[in-house]
Amino acid sequence: VVASRVGGIPDVLVHEYNGLLVEPRDVEGLAEAIVRIVSDDKLKRRLIEGGLATIRRTRENEIEKLLSKLMFEN
């Protein structure tokens, strides 16, 4: 993932871990980030692994919230 540092994106996307962040309206930075991912297999693998870890963590948090709601709100 390549995204701009705006809104809540930096809360989920961690630069060099699960994606690359660029400054808003930085067209050159955006292009450079895309080229980096396409041309650097180590970076690509690291970002994929970080993305999968982020998804797992998010799912675990959502499951915990759902179980808590089911157990304590009924």
Side-chain angles (χ1 to χ4, degrees), residues 1-5 9 13-22 29-30 32-37 43 46-47:
V1 175
V2 178
S4 295
R5 269 184 186 59
I9 293 172
L13 195 69
V14 178
H15 186 68
E16 300 277 340
Y17 174 69
N18 59 0
L20 298 178
L21 289 169
V22 297
L30 179 64
E32 289 171 8
I34 293 169
V35 169
R36 277 187 68 202
I37 291 175
L43 173 64
R46 186 172 70 236
L47 297 179

Side-chain angles (χ1 to χ4, degrees), residues 4 22-31:
S4 295
V22 297
E23 295 304 317
R25 303 182 199 285
D26 181 0
V27 176
E28 287 181 22
L30 179 64

